[in-house]
Amino acid sequence: MWRGGAMAGLAVAARAFSASASAGAGAGGVAMVQGASRGIGLEFVRQLLRRSDQGRVVATCRAPASAAELQKLKEEHAPGRLTVLPLDVTDESTIEAAAASIGETHGSLDLLINSTGILSIPNVIQPETTLSKVQKSSLLLAYEVNAVGPILVIKHMWPLLKVGGRSETGRGFSLVANMSARVSSIGDNGLGGWHSYRASKTALNQLTKTASVELGRKDNIACILLHPGTVDTDLSRPFQRNVPKDKLFTRDFSVQKLLSIIDNVKKSDNGKFFAWDGQEIPW
C-alpha cells in the first residue's frame, strides 16, 4: 500500500545524501533504466555502463533473479556500478520501494529512462487489426503498463530527480526520457488499427507532457518522449514481416541514436517528442 508521507521523507533523505556523496558515489551521474531485463532497456544499461568508469546505473525489472543478462553485466563491472532492483509497473508499492532503495544508496537521479512496454502476449493481448477485435481487457492492460506505470515511476522518482542534474553529467538538469512510439501520434495516424497500443502510448504522451509542465516549472527537470524506430526485439518480432530491412534497427543502433538525443537535449526541449533521428513527431 502506498504511504502518503513517503515522498516527503525521501526528499529529505535525498538532499542529505546528495550533499555528502556528490563527489563520491554519485560522481559521473546516476541513471535509472526502468524495464531493463531485455530489449531496448537492457541495451540502454549496457551502453550507459560503457560510457565511463564513474557513472552509476540502476536497472529495474519485475524479476531480477531471473534476469541473466543484467546479472552478467553486474558481474562484469566494478562493485557499485550497476544496481539491480525489483520493480513491477503494475504494483505501485514496488515502485515506492525502489525509490527508497535508490535514495539510500545514491541519493539522487540525473537520468530516468522508462522503457517498459507491452504490445502482445499470446492469448492475452494482440494488436487489433479491426475495431471488432477491440476488448476492454486489452485496452486496460495496455493503458496500465504503457501509460500508468511510467507516470507512477516518475511520481516516486521525482524527489530524487529534484536533487539530480549534477554538473558532472554535462547537462545541468535532470532528465526523464519515456519510450513512446510513432504510432501514438494522432496527426501521423493514417493506417488505423492497433487501438490498444496506439491509445496507451498516446496517453503516455499526454501524461509526460503534463508532467513536463509541472516539473519544468517547479524543478530543474525536463521530460521528453522518444520513438526508437522499429527495433529487432521480442516486442516487434511477431510483426516484422512487412518491415523493410533498412527500417529494422538493431538494439545497438537504436540506443546509440537515442542516447545521442539524450546527450544533446536542451532544457527548452522539455515536453517534446523525438524520433530516433532527432526529428520532432507531431502529436
Side-chain angles (χ1 to χ4, degrees):
M1 182 67 68
W2 180 70
R3 297 183 297 277
M7 289 182 69
L10 181 56
V12 172
R15 286 194 294 270
F17 189 96
S18 181
S20 64
S22 60
V30 183
M32 174 182 169
V33 182
Q34 184 272 120
S37 62
R38 58 182 182 173
I40 291 175
L42 178 62
E43 186 61 27
F44 267 118
V45 174
R46 183 178 287 112
Q47 293 195 29
L48 286 167
L49 286 169
R50 288 178 187 162
R51 293 190 145 205
S52 77
D53 58 1
Q54 290 187 315
R56 306 298 178 98
V57 179
V58 179
T60 67
C61 61
R62 285 183 299 170
S66 60
E69 290 296 318
L70 275 181
Q71 298 300 337
K72 182 180 178 182
L73 283 173
K74 186 175 181 179
E75 293 172 2
E76 291 173 352
H77 292 273
R81 288 292 316 284
L82 175 59
T83 303
V84 183
L85 297 174
L87 190 155
D88 181 346
V89 294
T90 66
D91 183 348
E92 190 171 3
S93 67
T94 68
I95 302 172
E96 184 181 19
S101 180
I102 296 167
E104 293 172 2
T105 304
H106 298 291
S108 64
L109 281 176
D110 303 285
L111 172 64
L112 166 60
I113 299 173
N114 274 308
S115 67
T116 193
I118 184 174
L119 175 59
S120 67
I121 300 174
N123 302 316
V124 176
I125 181 173
Q126 290 292 325
E128 305 92 345
T129 56
T130 173
L131 182 63
S132 63
K133 294 185 178 180
V134 170
Q135 296 182 354
K136 179 179 178 180
S137 59
S138 296
L139 288 164
L140 293 177
L141 178 59
Y143 186 78
E144 182 178 31
V145 174
N146 295 341
V148 177
I151 201 66
L152 289 178
V153 171
I154 298 173
K155 167 188 166 183
H156 286 288
M157 302 303 159
W158 184 8
L160 300 171
L161 291 161
K162 283 183 183 181
V163 293
R166 299 188 185 90
S167 59
E168 295 99 313
T169 66
R171 187 179 298 113
F173 56 90
S174 297
L175 180 66
V176 175
N178 285 342
M179 294 300 108
S180 188
R182 185 179 291 275
V183 297
S184 69
S185 168
I186 296 174
D188 192 62
N189 184 0
L191 296 176
W194 288 34
H195 300 71
S196 298
Y197 187 70
R198 283 185 188 274
S200 63
K201 287 293 188 178
T202 303
L204 173 66
N205 295 353
Q206 180 68 287
L207 289 165
T208 304
K209 175 66 176 180
T210 303
S212 76
V213 175
E214 181 177 4
L215 274 59
R217 183 176 62 240
K218 290 183 176 180
D219 302 299
N220 196 30
I221 304 170
C223 302
I224 61 171
L225 291 142
L226 296 173
H227 164 57
T230 303
V231 185
D232 187 14
T233 63
D234 292 342
L235 183 143
S236 70
R237 199 154 289 133
F239 314 101
Q240 294 176 5
R241 186 177 60 181
N242 296 320
V243 179
K245 287 187 177 181
D246 63 337
K247 296 296 184 182
L248 181 62
F249 302 147
T250 65
R251 289 174 293 175
D252 179 77
F253 174 85
S254 177
V255 170
Q256 281 187 38
K257 291 293 186 179
L258 297 176
L259 281 175
S260 178
I261 295 171
I262 287 170
D263 288 342
N264 292 288
V265 72
K266 301 177 179 63
K267 190 69 181 295
S268 58
D269 293 321
N270 186 30
K272 293 183 179 179
F273 184 12
F274 296 103
W276 61 272
D277 59 0
Q279 298 298 309
E280 277 196 67
I281 297 176
W283 297 111

